[in-house]
Amino acid sequence: SRNETEKFISFYKFSVTVFMDYIDIAQCFGIVRRRAQSLIVEACSDLDLTYSEFVLLLKLYDNENCSQDDMANFLFLDKAVVTRVIKSLEEKGLIYRETDNEDRRLKRLFLTSEGKEIEDYIKGIITQLISYMARGMDPEKVNIMVAGFIELSEKLSKADFEEIYGYREGLTFAK
């Protein structure tokens, strides 16, 4: 019937619009991540730091004395990747490791005096980037976006593949 056809067309247009919005959102997330990473790498070039080293230092400034395993969990990175980054930062004289007094298997991370000296510079990189992105925006919208990003990251940090998509075999997607 004509009424059912109109309902279908209306639903189809709505579905296509929502789907395109999701694609646009995914592209925007990608652009923000890639461009921010590129700018951070450029800002770190004088210090000869990679993006991974920057991120680890930034986290260590607020979590000194954490274990290597804790750092891997904080950053959602493989332990082997974190170990490589730590070794590189040690070679650059910015951090050092100490064996835990109670659990000899654990290595705790600390900043050297050189690592502490660049803290303001490192934190300034991310502060200036965020300030630039928020410049000219309504402060209320910025607060809503920040709260939204925090909520999204917390939710995704706890999610696993099966929770989102179901089992790998025979994936089905909602229509």
Side-chain angles (χ1 to χ4, degrees), residues 152-168:
L152 289 173
S153 68
E154 287 173 353
K155 187 171 189 168
L156 278 177
S157 71
K158 297 171 187 163
D160 66 5
F161 185 88
E162 289 182 6
E163 181 181 357
I164 297 169
Y165 299 109
Y167 292 97
R168 290 186 188 272

Side-chain angles (χ1 to χ4, degrees), residues 36-49 54 121-122 124-126 128-129:
Q37 182 173 342
S38 173
L39 290 165
I40 289 167
V41 166
E42 190 173 341
C44 289
S45 65
D46 289 344
L47 298 174
D48 191 34
L49 291 177
F54 168 84
Y121 184 83
I122 295 293
I125 290 171
I126 198 69
Q128 284 183 260
L129 179 63

Side-chain angles (χ1 to χ4, degrees), residues 3-168:
N3 194 24
E4 286 181 18
T5 302
E6 287 173 357
K7 283 182 184 178
F8 174 78
I9 290 171
S10 176
F11 176 76
Y12 176 77
K13 286 180 181 178
F14 171 77
S15 297
V16 168
T17 301
V18 168
F19 179 71
M20 291 306 293
D21 286 346
Y22 286 165
I23 290 173
D24 291 344
I25 290 168
Q27 288 174 336
C28 288
F29 277 139
I31 290 167
V32 168
R33 187 198 62 77
R34 285 188 304 275
R35 190 64 184 129
Q37 182 173 342
S38 173
L39 290 165
I40 289 167
V41 166
E42 190 173 341
C44 289
S45 65
D46 289 344
L47 298 174
D48 191 34
L49 291 177
T50 67
Y51 181 75
S52 296
E53 291 167 342
F54 168 84
V55 171
L56 192 141
L57 278 174
L58 196 59
K59 198 65 174 172
L60 188 58
Y61 287 128
D62 294 325
N63 294 281
E64 196 168 10
N65 193 27
C66 71
S67 70
Q68 286 185 219
D69 290 351
D70 290 338
M71 185 59 72
N73 290 331
F74 292 151
L75 301 177
F76 294 93
L77 291 173
D78 181 76
K79 290 177 187 179
V81 170
V82 170
T83 300
R84 281 194 300 275
V85 174
I86 289 168
K87 276 187 174 182
S88 178
L89 287 169
E90 278 183 312
E91 290 168 4
K92 293 176 181 183
L94 299 173
I95 68 170
Y96 65 96
R97 290 182 273 193
E98 282 187 4
T99 302
D100 187 88
N101 293 331
E102 294 176 18
D103 185 347
R104 309 291 292 163
R105 297 170 296 176
L106 289 179
K107 300 285 188 194
R108 300 232 165 250
L109 304 176
F110 298 92
L111 294 155
T112 64
S113 57
E114 291 85 358
K116 290 176 182 177
E117 284 176 17
I118 63 170
E119 180 176 0
D120 289 341
Y121 184 83
I122 295 293
K123 288 183 173 181
I125 290 171
I126 198 69
T127 301
Q128 284 183 260
L129 179 63
I130 300 296
S131 295
Y132 173 81
M133 290 191 297
R135 192 177 305 142
M137 293 178 67
D138 177 351
E140 188 175 325
K141 282 184 180 178
V142 172
N143 289 335
I144 290 168
M145 284 177 40
V146 168
F149 275 120
I150 290 169
E151 190 173 329
L152 289 173
S153 68
E154 287 173 353
K155 187 171 189 168
L156 278 177
S157 71
K158 297 171 187 163
D160 66 5
F161 185 88
E162 289 182 6
E163 181 181 357
I164 297 169
Y165 299 109
Y167 292 97
R168 290 186 188 272

